[in-house]
Amino acid sequence: MVALLAAAAHAARLCLWQPWRTFGAPMVWVLHVAYGWIVIHLVLRGVAALGLVGELLAAHALTVGRSAA
């Protein structure tokens, strides 16, 4: 439950950064993409705690997100 609350908080913070305004500047939007992967990881971590997906999927999302940025 804590991971899902943290994901919601980070998603709200990401929206405050207004990532849609940075599409013309790849050096900036790549930071938003990387931060978005943290949100995805936290959602998957919370869903994994509920037993709906595997724990490795959450870890994989985090490591893929790190290499994407």
Side-chain angles (χ1 to χ4, degrees):
M1 188 55 113
V2 173
L4 293 174
L5 290 173
H10 284 289
R13 183 177 183 188
L14 181 60
C15 286
L16 289 175
W17 288 357
Q18 301 176 352
W20 56 89
R21 297 179 71 188
T22 62
F23 287 135
M27 291 291 284
V28 178
W29 65 256
V30 72
L31 298 173
H32 295 177
V33 170
Y35 195 77
W37 275 108
I38 294 172
V39 174
I40 292 169
H41 164 72
L42 288 169
V43 167
L44 288 172
R45 180 70 65 188
V47 173
L50 296 173
L52 300 175
V53 298
E55 290 275 336
L56 291 178
L57 185 61
H60 182 68
L62 183 63
T63 57
V64 167
R66 261 184 97 182
S67 65

